Amino acid sequence: MHARSFVKNRLSFGTFNRIHQRTASLKSLGIPLIPYKGSLPSDLDLFSVSENEPELDDDHGCGTFDDPNIFEIIDMNATQDPTSSTLPPPAVQKRFSQHSTGKNRRDGEDDASTMARLKKHLYAEVDGEQSTAPLTAFCFMTGFIDSVTFSAIFVWCAFQTGNSVQLALALARLFNGQHDHSFHIADRQALCSVIAFIFGAFIGRIGDKLGCKTRLWLALGTFIQTLFTMAAAIAIWKSHQGSVADSRANPAWTNVLSFVCVAFMSASMGLQGIMGKRINTQFTTTVVLTTTWCELMADPKLFDIRRIVISRDHKILAIVSLFLGGFLGRVFLDIVGSAATLGIGTGIRLIISVWWLFVPEKQARK
């Protein structure tokens, strides 16, 4: 019984099912089940399979070996033809490919998660109360850039109040009885500055689409200012003109490239002004100090020097930063000239553009 149970468990493959059918046929023909020498015809191979013989399906022991009289004795040590008893090689699972697929899937999920965090970081709004450092740098750049243009042509590229009044005076000369219809170069430079400033401020409206307080726009907008300042440096370098004017009647910049330089500097200041205004802090636009001076003098806590007052202290910081920018701008101007000074300003603006990416975001009020 033990041998039969062993055979029933082992002979569940297709090859041995065919042997089962062949042994039944041998018994019906009277041929011994256990062959001995000379007992089988020479052309009969117990383990051969005819091409026309149908192939039997495995039934996994469900009824094929129920008859106990099929096998009488089975010699477990009998030698069989190795070619007929060899089973097909087992299927080898390609674990490497599955591992690679899983790794690629995890890498894709990590990349998607990283992009989601980056997008959330860039589109987060900065906290205006913690934007003091880059806004102070904005005020510094106002004085720095204005020192270059005023020293060369006596025109402000950030303070458009003076340029607007200058254009009004140019128009008034037409009616003074002297019939002076000439358009002086100083007036043309002032007009160029006003138009370019308005253009730069108009570019600032792009921030309304991206979010005027988001890190993305503040960094991108400041980088555009960087490009404008760099273009101004290149233009004045290629113009081969001086840096400091002797008098208003004899400006240092007179050719076309100098007008291009004025336009790019004024556009950068216009963009900076609207970006500072959109953040809505005590630094206001960062380009005009007239309002800042008035608000500082009107501050009810102006003389409360025993504690920190943001509304007062930030205004003082803006005034001091602009003054320091103008001072250093003139120092560099006398040492290295207009082009190199604007090159330094380009580097400062690039630092500010990166700075915006690390300003803490505004927390929701509980």
Side-chain angles (χ1 to χ4, degrees):
M1 292 297 292
H2 178 72
R4 291 179 179 176
S5 299
F6 178 81
V7 171
K8 287 183 179 182
N9 291 331
R10 296 291 293 178
L11 300 183
S12 60
F13 302 97
T15 302
F16 289 94
N17 282 338
R18 288 192 290 270
I19 296 174
H20 169 210
Q21 183 186 32
R22 187 61 57 85
T23 53
S25 301
L26 292 175
K27 289 181 63 177
S28 63
L29 296 175
I31 299 175
L33 180 62
I34 307 301
Y36 54 89
K37 185 176 181 180
S39 63
L40 292 177
S42 60
D43 60 345
L44 181 61
D45 186 359
L46 179 63
F47 293 99
S48 64
V49 181
S50 174
E51 295 180 357
N52 298 326
E53 184 176 350
E55 190 150 339
L56 300 178
D57 297 333
D58 301 340
D59 61 359
H60 306 288
C62 300
T64 304
F65 299 102
D66 290 343
D67 188 358
N69 297 321
I70 291 178
F71 293 101
E72 298 293 338
I73 299 174
I74 295 180
D75 186 2
M76 300 302 297
N77 298 321
T79 304
Q80 298 181 358
D81 186 1
T83 60
S84 61
S85 61
T86 302
L87 296 177
V92 179
Q93 184 179 10
K94 296 183 178 181
R95 297 182 178 180
F96 177 75
S97 61
Q98 291 184 354
H99 175 72
S100 300
T101 303
K103 183 178 180 181
N104 293 337
R105 185 182 299 111
R106 288 193 298 270
D107 291 343
E109 292 175 354
D110 293 341
D111 292 342
S113 177
T114 301
M115 291 301 297
R117 289 195 300 269
L118 178 61
K119 183 178 180 180
K120 181 180 179 181
H121 179 79
L122 292 177
Y123 280 91
E125 292 189 354
V126 300
D127 188 353
E129 296 180 357
Q130 300 188 59
S131 302
T132 304
L135 290 174
T136 301
F138 270 4
C139 294
F140 175 88
M141 288 305 301
T142 300
F144 192 87
I145 296 297
D146 266 338
S147 67
V148 177
T149 55
F150 189 81
S151 297
I153 58 176
F154 300 98
V155 169
W156 308 106
C157 63
F159 307 148
Q160 297 304 323
T161 302
N163 294 334
S164 300
V165 174
Q166 183 173 339
L167 291 175
L169 296 176
L171 184 62
R173 283 198 302 269
L174 299 175
F175 306 96
N176 63 359
Q178 299 179 3
H179 304 289
D180 185 3
H181 299 287
S182 61
F183 197 17
H184 298 176
I185 187 170
D187 301 332
R188 283 179 280 167
Q189 290 167 337
L191 179 62
C192 175
S193 179
V194 170
I195 294 175
F197 185 92
I198 295 172
F199 173 75
F202 184 79
I203 294 176
R205 299 186 67 88
I206 298 176
D208 297 338
K209 303 295 182 181
L210 299 177
C212 58
K213 296 182 180 181
T214 60
R215 292 191 182 102
L216 176 62
W217 167 242
L218 292 173
L220 178 60
T222 308
F223 183 71
I224 295 174
Q225 298 173 36
T226 304
L227 296 179
F228 285 166
T229 308
M230 181 178 65
I234 295 174
I236 201 60
W237 172 60
K238 298 295 288 185
S239 70
H240 303 291
Q241 296 207 305
S243 301
V244 179
D246 298 330
S247 63
R248 290 180 179 272
N250 187 26
W253 298 350
T254 56
N255 61 13
V256 175
L257 285 177
S258 67
F259 277 83
V260 174
C261 175
V262 172
F264 275 118
M265 283 194 291
S266 299
S268 71
M269 298 312 303
L271 179 56
Q272 174 185 309
I274 194 172
M275 290 176 63
K277 181 62 177 178
R278 286 286 195 265
I279 300 176
N280 193 24
T281 62
Q282 300 298 326
F283 290 89
T284 61
T285 63
T286 72
V287 296
V288 178
L289 290 187
T290 304
T291 303
T292 306
W293 276 112
C294 294
E295 291 180 351
L296 176 63
M297 294 299 103
D299 196 307
K301 299 180 181 179
L302 176 62
F303 299 105
D304 190 0
I305 59 176
R306 296 183 179 180
R307 60 175 180 171
I308 297 175
V309 179
I310 293 179
S311 62
R312 176 201 61 196
D313 297 342
H314 282 188
K315 291 182 177 68
I316 295 175
L317 188 59
I319 295 171
V320 173
S321 298
L322 191 145
F323 182 88
L324 181 62
F327 175 80
L328 291 179
R330 182 55 192 253
V331 170
F332 285 123
L333 194 65
D334 292 334
I335 297 174
V336 296
S338 300
T341 302
L342 290 176
I344 296 172
T346 301
I348 297 174
R349 285 203 186 278
L350 182 61
I351 294 173
I352 300 172
S353 64
V354 177
W355 205 336
W356 282 116
L357 298 176
F358 300 97
V359 176
E361 65 179 279
K362 185 177 181 179
Q363 301 295 330
R365 294 183 178 179
K366 297 181 180 180

